[in-house]
Amino acid sequence: MNLIFEEGNEGRRLSLLPECDVPEVKVPDSLKRNSKFHLPQVSENEISRHYTKLAGRAHGVNNGFYPLGSCTMKYNPKVNEVAAALPGFTRVHPLQPENTVQGSMEVIHLVENTLCEVTGMKAFTLQPAAGAHGEFTGLLLIKAYHVDRGDTKRTKIIVPDSAHGTNPASAAMCGYEVVSIPSQDDGCVDLAALKAAVGDDTAGLMLTNPNTVGLFDKNIREITKIVHDAGGLCYYDGANLNAVMGQARPGDMGFDAVHINLHKTFSTPHGGGGPGAGPVGCKDFLVQFLPGYHVEGDSKSGFEYVIEPKSIGAVKVFHGNFLVIVRALTYMLMLGKEGIPQASANAVLNANYMRVKLSDVYDMAYDTTCMHEFVMSLEGLKNKTGISAMDVAKGLLDYGIHPPTMYFPMIVEEALMVEPTETEPKEVLDEAIDVFHKIYQQAQSDAETLHHAPHDTVIGRPDELKAAREPVVRYVWED
């Protein structure tokens, strides 16, 4: 398929703009480009066909099963889009006077309060634009807390070896030294290793619960107590909150700060570069450091913007990705207090249904009840047949199923991490289970064909090594 730059011809264009009806202002030579400004020269018909064809090559939740582990690729109700497209939300400007945007401010206030109720936090900021951005913001709150108390010797953040890769990266970006602690055989935190790691130089702990192998750590209260007794704070990575929303609150587990992926847990679209949202909440003693603005007030007396006295400063302009927040609020109001815990319960049910149905032929990394996702180890299958986790993942593509997360978490050999989410019906799960079984049988009888999968997609298996080492990320013009 051609790139858009390779379509069309010299001088071809479409008329989108009316003729200029105001005096033209000449651009000074000092502000002009020194090189030719390349744009595709195509007609509207060509543009429409190009992007329609391109969209047909993408696989999303609307196309079929998308069990990408730890990413929660759930279906996004279209009512969310209807709400986000309302003119009252799309035609506002963040610099308008407060009295002219009270409705939008009420949305922000309601989302902040709802997220506090779900997580057990005191206050939230909606500024962070993604999960990793939320991690960074939460760690800045922790750092501000220690610095404000003059406790600058705390230079280390503890991170389990099963953590998302963004956790150590965020800690390093905040200037912390990362201390990795191992998991036990049951996939949970090694308490002895944690006790040995904490000290008067511990700034905090970053933890996901349920963790990345899909298990709820039974020792979570003891874990946070160990860190608190050492003078550190506890940060909750909310990537897996979809499994426990409405069931258990991070604040009750002992966490002091948390980020939430609205584009995972609260059903706003994600993928393809954004936009996303990673709101950060905190306990009362950290509220004074929150980035501005957040909203206080009520519908009777009015709402106002508030900047905390010791704020770490803005981490994004204004209020974050506002329309993403509108989508999340629509989803939360649609589900209500009864629907939110039902959604998490169904996510856990779906994952365990698939886990049990596949355990007859696939080895489960942890043979126990999981939460929202489960991890299979294909190490035994590879040793027996030569078929790797990559081969199975590629084979799924021929059946119209997006592959699960591959080779993560790294503590599991030949890992495939499956998260079916709560939005898939039993019929879809049964179809996927049947496909996994067919691929397993093919591994025994026709491994060579599976090694070259996929066969029925728009492109075959790419050269993974070449793609990683020699990526082509931009179009190079001949002139």
Side-chain angles (χ1 to χ4, degrees):
M1 179 176 175
N2 287 341
L3 300 176
I4 188 65
F5 297 103
E6 297 168 315
E7 299 284 359
N9 218 322
E10 185 75 23
R12 193 170 296 166
R13 64 192 62 193
L14 57 154
S15 299
L16 293 177
L17 300 176
E19 291 187 14
C20 184
D21 59 356
V22 296
E24 293 187 16
V25 176
K26 297 295 183 181
V27 178
D29 290 340
S30 61
L31 298 179
K32 291 182 179 179
R33 296 173 58 91
N34 295 320
S35 58
K36 186 178 179 180
F37 185 46
H38 293 294
L39 283 176
Q41 299 190 49
V42 292
S43 66
E44 183 175 336
N45 189 26
E46 289 171 306
I47 287 179
S48 178
R49 286 178 177 173
H50 174 81
Y51 285 107
T52 299
K53 185 177 180 181
L54 188 63
R57 289 186 165 214
H59 184 96
V61 176
N62 287 352
N63 300 99
F65 193 40
Y66 204 141
L68 197 62
S70 209
C71 289
T72 315
M73 303 298 289
K74 69 203 304 184
Y75 176 75
N76 309 122
K78 295 301 177 278
V79 67
N80 299 358
E81 302 301 318
V82 173
L86 292 173
F89 295 137
T90 61
R91 296 180 182 177
V92 295
H93 192 283
L95 290 178
Q96 284 182 226
E98 292 179 12
N99 67 306
T100 68
V101 288
Q102 286 290 296
S104 295
M105 293 175 71
E106 185 170 0
V107 166
I108 294 171
H109 186 259
L110 186 54
V111 170
E112 289 177 355
N113 284 352
T114 304
L115 295 181
C116 284
E117 188 173 348
V118 170
T119 61
M121 295 292 131
K122 177 65 175 180
F124 260 83
T125 174
L126 305 185
Q127 280 197 338
H133 196 191
E135 292 174 17
F136 180 71
T137 303
L139 288 173
L140 288 180
L141 297 181
I142 291 174
K143 190 168 191 175
Y145 167 78
H146 290 308
V147 170
D148 186 62
R149 297 168 63 249
D151 197 358
T152 55
K153 65 180 179 298
R154 299 188 178 274
T155 58
K156 297 179 179 178
I157 292 289
I158 298 172
V159 181
D161 60 1
S162 63
H164 291 101
T166 51
N167 285 184
S170 297
M173 285 183 65
C174 287
Y176 284 116
E177 178 184 344
V178 178
V179 178
S180 178
I181 57 172
S183 300
Q184 300 180 118
D185 291 340
D186 63 0
C188 297
V189 171
D190 186 324
L191 294 180
L194 176 61
K195 291 176 181 177
V198 299
D200 61 4
D201 59 354
T202 300
L205 166 77
M206 299 185 77
L207 192 70
T208 305
N209 194 39
N211 61 22
T212 308
V213 295
L215 302 176
F216 192 96
D217 201 309
K218 59 184 181 296
N219 299 314
I220 191 61
R221 290 300 300 271
E222 186 174 356
I223 291 169
T224 55
K225 184 178 186 302
I226 290 170
V227 176
H228 285 151
D229 288 348
L233 300 183
C234 297
Y235 179 85
Y236 183 90
D237 179 335
N240 296 339
L241 187 67
N242 197 60
V244 295
M245 60 176 179
Q247 310 283 349
R249 306 193 308 174
D252 299 333
M253 301 176 202
F255 289 95
D256 305 295
V258 55
H259 90 262
I260 295 177
N261 300 80
L262 293 186
H263 48 282
K264 292 184 181 183
T265 308
F266 294 107
S267 191
T268 69
H270 69 300
V280 170
C282 62
K283 293 289 183 66
D284 53 1
F285 66 94
L286 291 175
V287 172
Q288 60 184 324
F289 305 112
L290 281 174
Y293 313 87
H294 65 97
V295 175
E296 292 185 358
D298 55 59
S299 57
K300 292 183 179 180
S301 59
F303 298 95
E304 61 179 353
Y305 298 129
V306 175
I307 298 179
E308 296 298 335
K310 296 182 179 180
S311 172
I312 60 173
V315 295
K316 194 180 187 300
V317 293
F318 305 113
H319 312 289
N321 289 323
F322 177 64
L323 295 181
V324 174
I325 294 164
V326 172
R327 292 179 175 95
L329 177 61
T330 306
Y331 178 75
M332 289 187 282
L333 292 177
M334 183 175 64
L335 288 186
K337 288 188 176 182
E338 298 78 17
I340 287 177
Q342 181 182 344
S344 58
N346 287 350
V348 174
L349 177 62
N350 281 358
N352 279 284
Y353 179 74
M354 286 196 70
R355 177 185 63 83
V356 171
K357 289 290 187 178
L358 292 176
S359 60
D360 59 340
V361 293
Y362 289 97
D363 295 329
M364 297 297 148
Y366 302 96
D367 191 17
T368 185
T369 302
C370 66
M371 297 298 289
H372 63 303
E373 62 191 6
F374 61 95
V375 181
M376 299 185 290
S377 172
L378 273 64
E379 184 179 19
L381 182 66
K382 184 178 181 181
N383 291 337
K384 181 181 177 181
T385 66
I387 292 299
S388 66
M390 177 72 77
D391 293 327
V392 172
K394 297 297 185 182
L396 290 170
L397 291 169
D398 281 329
Y399 292 91
I401 295 176
H402 193 285
T405 297
M406 299 176 290
Y407 300 120
F408 183 80
M410 290 183 286
I411 60 175
V412 176
E413 293 294 328
E414 292 294 323
L416 282 182
M417 182 165 57
V418 179
E419 181 181 0
T421 78
E422 75 279 7
T423 57
E424 297 296 347
K426 180 176 178 296
E427 293 80 6
V428 171
L429 301 184
D430 286 336
E431 290 174 6
I433 291 165
D434 183 56
V435 169
F436 270 103
H437 279 103
K438 287 179 179 177
I439 291 176
Y440 180 84
Q441 295 302 324
Q442 187 179 2
Q444 321 296 320
S445 61
D446 189 11
E448 186 60 28
T449 299
L450 198 52
H451 279 314
H452 298 286
H455 303 279
D456 300 324
T457 51
V458 290
I459 62 169
R461 188 178 300 203
D463 185 331
E464 304 282 347
L465 184 61
K466 183 178 178 64
R469 292 188 174 181
E470 302 175 30
V472 179
V473 295
R474 68 188 183 94
Y475 183 78
V476 179
W477 292 87
E478 293 181 0
D479 58 345

